[in-house]
Amino acid sequence: MDIDIFSELLVPVIGGLGVFMLGLEFMSDGINNLAANKMRAWLAKLAGTPIKGLAAGTVITGVLQSSTAMTVMVVGLVNAGVVGLRPAISVIMGANIGTTLGNGLIALPLGPLGLISAGIFALLYVFSRSDRTRNIALAIIGFSLIFYGLNLLTGGLKPLRNMPEVMETISSLSAATYSGLAVCVLTAAGITAMIHSSSATIGIVMGLGAAGILDWQTAVAFSLGADLGTTITSWMASLNLSKNAKRAAYAHISFNFIGVAIMFPLFFLSMDILQWAMGLFGMEVGKAIIVDGKETFPLVPVAVGLYSIGFNIFNTAVLFPFIGVFDRVLSRIGASREDEEDYAVPRYLAKEAQSRFDTGVAAVSKELARYTEGAGLLLASARGNEKVLKNSAEHELALNTLNQEIRAYTAGLFNNNLTMQQANLAASLIEEEDFCASLTQNLSQISRRVERQLFSDNGKIIVSAILDMVEDAVKKGPQGVYLPQAHASQILALRERALQPEQKLSWDERGAILTLLGSAERAFNLVQRISEERQSVSRELGSDTNKPATSQPASGMLANPL
C-alpha cells in the first residue's frame, strides 16, 4: 500500500505534536497568569508539615498541570528560605500525584471536540478586554488543543503500521522482557529530559499506543521512564542555588528513581493487576476498534493514564513514611569536608525535645544562640575572609532557612495546656527570633555594601574600624551598658574622620562609609534589643517567668541564654 509520506504522515504527526505541545504551553501560561502568585503564596503558607505539604503539592500541581513548574517553584521557595527541606520533600511527592491527574484527562477520547472548543474560546480571548477572562480562555484553549493535537498525532501515526522498515525498528522497543523494559524506560527518560515535559512524552506514547505502533504494555513502560526524565529540570534549576535548594532537587530525583527501582521487578505483576482492574469495567485494553477502515486502540491511552496515576500514588504511599530518613540523608549532602558548618540544618531542634515544654525551650534557646553566631559570620565576608565564610549569599539563605525552622518549632510549643508563664516565655522566644532575623538582614547589608564599594587605603582603615565595632558587639553583647550610647563617641569620631579633606576620600566613598555607620548603629540597637528580650522573661526553666530575669550585665554571644 503506497503512502503519501508528506500529507498522510508528516503533516498530521508534526502538526499534531506541535498543537499538543502548544496546548500544554497555553494551558500552563493561562493558569500561571491567573493563579501562579496565589499558588506560590498558598504553598508557602500551607507546606508546614509533611501531610500538608503532600496535600498542597497534589492540589496545586493538579491545577497548574506541570510537575516540572511545581518542582522548580518548590526549589525556589527552599532557596529563599520560605519552605524547609522536610515539607519540600512531601510537596514534591504530592506534585508527582497531581500531574498524573492531567495524564488521566488526556486519555479521554475528546479529540474531535477539542478543535471546536479551542475555536470558541479563541474568539472569547480575542474579543475580551478583561485580563482575567483572557487568561481563563487561554487555559481552556490550551486544554482543548491538547486533545485535538493528540487526535491528529494518533491519526498521523497509523500509516506507520504499513511501513515494514519502521515497524521493524519500533518492534525492537518491547517491554516483553526485563531487558526490553529497561530499554523502554531509559528511552522515555531520555526523551523527557530533552523536551522537559513528562506530559508531552506521555502524550506521544498515548498516540503511538492508540495507533497500534506500540503495544499497550510497552506504552505503559514508557510512562514509567517519563517519571525519571522529568527530574532533570529541577536539577538544572538548582545548580546555582543554595545547598538546601539542591537537596530539594535531589529529593525529587531520589524519590522518582527509588519508585521506578521498586516498580521495575513488579512491572509484569502490575500489568496483570491493571488488566484485571480495567476488566472490572468491561475494558479490554488490547482490543482494536475499526475507525474509517483503520484499526485503532482507544483503551491504550486510558491504560497509560491509569497506570501513571496508580504508580505515583503507590510510590508516595511506600515512601511517605520515610520522609524523615530522606531529610536526614539529604541534609548530609553538600556538607563541607573542611568542617564548614551548614546553618540550613538545625542542630538542636529534635522532635523528641518538642514533646515537653522545658526541653523544647532549651532546644530553641540553643538554636537561637547558634543562629546569632552564624549571623556574625557575615562580617567575615565583608573582610574577604574565605577561610571563615566561602559564600556569603549561600550562607544568608541557609540562615533564612534556619530561622524558618526555629519559628515553626517554637510555634509547635504552643498548646492549650500551657500556663500563662510558659506562654509568655514562648512568645518572648518568637520576639527574639524576629530581632535575630532583623540583625541578620542588617549584617548582610553591611557585608554587601563593603563588597560592592571600592575603597582607598584610608577608606579601608575606617571600614575596618566599623566592622571591628559591630563584630565585637555581636560577639559580646551589651556588657552592662546601653550599647548604642557606648559606641556613640566612636561613631562620631569615624564620621568626622571620613569627612576630613586630608583623608582624600571620594564622595561615593564618603557616602558608603556614612551609610555603613548608620547600619552599625542599627546593629547596636538590635543587639541591645535581643539581650533585653532575653532578660525580660526568665529563660531559667522552672523559675517565675513573669519576673524579669536579672539586672546583671549580659556576656558571651549576645548573652547566651542557656
Side-chain angles (χ1 to χ4, degrees), residues 236-372:
M236 290 175 64
S238 71
L239 286 178
N240 295 318
L241 301 182
S242 68
K243 289 179 182 178
N244 244 23
K246 289 184 176 70
R247 289 166 185 149
Y250 297 152
H252 186 210
I253 295 169
S254 57
F255 174 70
N256 284 23
F257 269 76
I258 291 172
V260 172
I262 292 172
M263 184 54 67
F264 193 86
L266 302 175
F267 181 76
F268 297 107
L269 174 61
S270 68
M271 292 299 93
D272 294 336
I273 294 173
L274 179 61
Q275 275 188 300
W276 170 78
M278 293 181 69
L280 291 178
F281 297 92
M283 293 186 287
E284 188 178 339
V285 63
K287 185 177 180 180
I289 296 176
I290 305 299
V291 178
D292 297 330
K294 297 179 181 179
E295 278 189 331
T296 186
F297 298 82
L299 292 180
V300 173
V302 176
V304 172
L306 289 176
Y307 186 83
S308 183
I309 294 171
F311 164 69
N312 281 286
I313 292 176
F314 170 79
N315 192 20
T316 300
V318 170
L319 296 180
F320 186 77
F322 299 98
I323 283 181
V325 177
F326 274 88
D327 185 28
R328 288 192 294 274
V329 172
L330 291 169
S331 293
R332 296 189 179 98
I333 294 177
S336 172
R337 295 179 182 177
E338 299 175 0
D339 297 325
E340 182 181 329
E341 186 167 3
D342 184 0
Y343 283 89
V345 181
R347 182 192 293 175
Y348 303 106
L349 304 183
K351 194 70 178 176
E352 314 82 67
Q354 198 179 28
S355 60
R356 289 179 49 194
F357 184 78
D358 55 348
T359 56
V361 167
V364 171
S365 296
K366 290 178 181 177
E367 202 67 67
L368 273 172
R370 176 173 172 257
Y371 174 84
T372 309

Side-chain angles (χ1 to χ4, degrees), residues 267-556:
F267 181 76
F268 297 107
L269 174 61
S270 68
M271 292 299 93
D272 294 336
I273 294 173
L274 179 61
Q275 275 188 300
W276 170 78
M278 293 181 69
L280 291 178
F281 297 92
M283 293 186 287
E284 188 178 339
V285 63
K287 185 177 180 180
I289 296 176
I290 305 299
V291 178
D292 297 330
K294 297 179 181 179
E295 278 189 331
T296 186
F297 298 82
L299 292 180
V300 173
V302 176
V304 172
L306 289 176
Y307 186 83
S308 183
I309 294 171
F311 164 69
N312 281 286
I313 292 176
F314 170 79
N315 192 20
T316 300
V318 170
L319 296 180
F320 186 77
F322 299 98
I323 283 181
V325 177
F326 274 88
D327 185 28
R328 288 192 294 274
V329 172
L330 291 169
S331 293
R332 296 189 179 98
I333 294 177
S336 172
R337 295 179 182 177
E338 299 175 0
D339 297 325
E340 182 181 329
E341 186 167 3
D342 184 0
Y343 283 89
V345 181
R347 182 192 293 175
Y348 303 106
L349 304 183
K351 194 70 178 176
E352 314 82 67
Q354 198 179 28
S355 60
R356 289 179 49 194
F357 184 78
D358 55 348
T359 56
V361 167
V364 171
S365 296
K366 290 178 181 177
E367 202 67 67
L368 273 172
R370 176 173 172 257
Y371 174 84
T372 309
E373 181 179 351
L377 296 180
L378 289 168
L379 296 174
S381 176
R383 297 182 187 276
N385 190 343
E386 292 188 358
K387 291 183 179 179
V388 177
L389 191 62
K390 294 180 180 178
N391 190 321
S392 60
E394 186 172 300
H395 183 67
E396 186 180 355
L397 290 170
L399 290 174
N400 287 340
T401 301
L402 181 59
N403 181 261
Q404 291 290 328
E405 296 279 359
I406 297 172
R407 192 181 299 274
Y409 190 91
T410 309
L413 296 176
F414 281 99
N415 60 65
N416 294 330
N417 298 323
L418 293 185
T419 64
M420 190 61 192
Q421 291 87 347
Q422 290 172 329
N424 192 28
L425 174 52
S428 178
L429 287 171
I430 290 177
E431 285 283 315
E432 183 182 331
E433 290 160 13
D434 187 55
F435 291 129
C436 287
S438 297
L439 177 62
T440 300
Q441 292 175 357
N442 185 263
L443 297 180
S444 176
Q445 287 176 348
I446 291 175
S447 176
R448 285 198 297 268
R449 282 168 180 157
V450 173
E451 290 173 353
R452 284 197 302 260
Q453 180 65 45
L454 185 64
F455 291 100
S456 64
D457 290 341
N458 288 338
K460 289 177 181 177
I461 293 172
I462 298 174
V463 170
S464 181
I466 296 172
L467 295 177
D468 287 341
M469 282 194 303
V470 176
E471 190 172 29
D472 189 61
V474 172
K475 283 184 177 179
K476 296 180 180 178
Q479 295 294 302
V481 295
Y482 182 59
L483 193 59
Q485 185 177 350
H487 287 282
S489 59
Q490 290 174 278
I491 289 175
L492 182 60
L494 289 172
R495 182 180 288 115
E496 290 176 350
R497 184 175 176 180
L499 295 175
Q500 290 172 357
E502 54 267 28
Q503 293 294 325
K504 298 181 179 179
L505 302 178
S506 64
W507 282 109
D508 60 330
E509 262 189 288
R510 287 193 174 98
I513 289 172
L514 294 175
T515 303
L516 285 173
L517 287 169
S519 295
E521 287 184 292
R522 285 190 290 276
F524 298 147
N525 277 300
L526 287 166
V527 169
Q528 183 77 38
R529 190 64 191 88
I530 291 169
S531 183
E532 289 173 354
E533 186 61 47
R534 287 180 177 176
Q535 296 180 66
S536 66
V537 179
S538 175
R539 285 350 188 217
E540 295 294 331
L541 302 176
S543 66
D544 186 353
T545 54
N546 275 334
K547 295 180 180 179
T550 176
S551 59
Q552 296 299 314
S555 62

